[in-house]
Amino acid sequence: MHITQLNRECLLHLFSFLDKNSRKSLAKTCHKLLEVFQDPLLWSLLNFHSPVELKKDNFLLGPALKYLSICWYSERVKVCNIEDRMKNNFQKDFCSRHENTVNDFLLEVCNRCPNLLSLTLSGCGHITDDCILLLLKNCPNLKTLKLENCVRITDQTLEAVTLYGGSLQTLHVDFCRNITQTGLERVREKRPSVMLRAERSANMIPDNKPEKNLMLEKASRKLVQL
């Protein structure tokens, strides 16, 4: 039996075992397989391993999406985690190539995936509080939010959880150095049913604002002069 003689249910099942690139390649072989590739039922779960993958045309984004993860485990993530004002020209150039990639992608998710249940972001150093706020507003059924090593995430995200995370059951903010203990306590107070985990976050050294660093430098100079 030729693969195209299988019914739609069987073809969807076969496609489900393939990665995104393989699905796209198979879809190019005939019209029937292209229709299977375009079936929303095939795209309830999406996993990405770098920002570059978000720009590929090998997946569909729509209301069927329930589970999304963008996990970037690379030495390059360390560059993104450096405070912008401390980056050299090479580091700034590297970040400029993908700085808005994840944020722009999540804005698309906000607009097209209202039924999202779970979001995991790891190593996404440029993701912002505003983006997470919009996602919580536009995806009211979100039950799981896991953020790891997302250095721009602050207590503003935690405040958004207290305001718009009505369906949230699990919240992880691990290794997010600009999260504070005060913000965590507020979530525990306002959303006691949420399973909250914040490994290292509130114990890490947060970014200092430029004016604070300037004050510290001036104080250090005075001590040296004395």
Side-chain angles (χ1 to χ4, degrees):
M1 177 182 290
H2 193 273
I3 186 173
T4 56
Q5 294 178 288
L6 297 173
N7 61 34
R8 185 63 162 256
E9 184 178 354
C10 288
L11 289 174
L12 282 170
H13 186 64
L14 288 175
F15 264 78
S16 68
F17 289 99
L18 303 177
D19 60 31
K20 295 187 289 295
N21 285 333
S22 298
R23 291 178 183 181
K24 183 68 174 181
S25 298
L26 188 57
K28 292 179 179 179
T29 59
C30 74
H31 182 71
K32 183 175 182 178
L33 296 180
L34 176 61
E35 288 183 348
V36 176
F37 176 84
Q38 294 173 338
D39 193 319
L41 294 176
L42 189 62
W43 303 102
S44 62
L45 182 151
L46 283 172
N47 295 315
F48 299 95
H49 303 289
S50 76
V52 175
E53 293 185 14
L54 302 176
K55 296 183 177 182
K56 293 184 177 181
D57 184 27
N58 60 0
F59 62 91
L60 293 183
L61 204 59
L65 182 63
K66 300 289 182 65
Y67 307 94
L68 171 64
S69 72
I70 305 172
C71 297
W72 193 20
Y73 302 111
S74 167
E75 287 296 314
R76 298 179 180 181
V77 172
K78 294 181 180 179
V79 176
C80 300
N81 288 345
I82 300 172
E83 296 173 57
D84 290 340
R85 58 190 170 78
M86 297 179 65
K87 291 175 182 173
N88 58 39
N89 290 333
F90 173 78
Q91 292 166 334
K92 289 178 180 178
D93 178 65
F94 170 75
C95 287
S96 67
R97 301 173 192 174
H98 63 267
E99 185 171 7
N100 298 315
T101 301
V102 178
N103 281 309
D104 290 345
F105 181 80
L106 288 181
L107 288 178
E108 286 293 313
V109 172
C110 289
N111 294 326
R112 300 165 61 180
C113 310
N115 301 311
L116 190 68
L117 297 178
S118 175
L119 173 65
T120 299
L121 301 175
S122 180
C124 299
H126 299 293
I127 194 70
T128 64
D129 292 314
D130 290 340
C131 193
I132 299 299
L133 169 63
L134 284 175
L135 191 130
L136 287 168
K137 283 184 175 181
N138 288 277
C139 302
N141 299 318
L142 192 69
K143 298 183 183 300
T144 300
L145 177 61
K146 296 181 179 180
L147 306 175
E148 179 186 31
N149 206 10
C150 299
V151 296
R152 292 192 181 183
I153 294 300
T154 72
D155 285 359
Q156 292 182 37
T157 287
L158 300 182
E159 183 64 22
V161 166
T162 66
L163 295 173
Y164 306 107
S167 299
L168 210 61
Q169 298 175 357
T170 301
L171 173 64
H172 292 178
V173 281
D174 298 332
F175 295 88
C176 298
R177 65 173 179 252
N178 289 301
I179 293 292
T180 70
Q181 194 62 44
T182 300
L184 295 172
E185 290 301 328
R186 182 164 176 79
V187 173
R188 292 189 178 100
E189 176 188 351
K190 297 294 183 179
R191 297 287 181 189
S193 62
V194 173
M195 294 180 62
L196 178 61
R197 191 181 80 183
E199 185 178 346
R200 291 291 186 93
S201 292
N203 296 323
M204 299 179 77
I205 300 175
D207 296 341
N208 288 321
K209 294 182 179 179
E211 57 268 23
K212 290 185 178 180
N213 283 345
L214 185 60
M215 291 174 64
L216 289 172
E217 289 176 9
K218 289 181 178 179
S220 298
R221 288 171 190 164
K222 287 182 179 179
L223 288 173
V224 171
Q225 291 172 357
L226 293 174

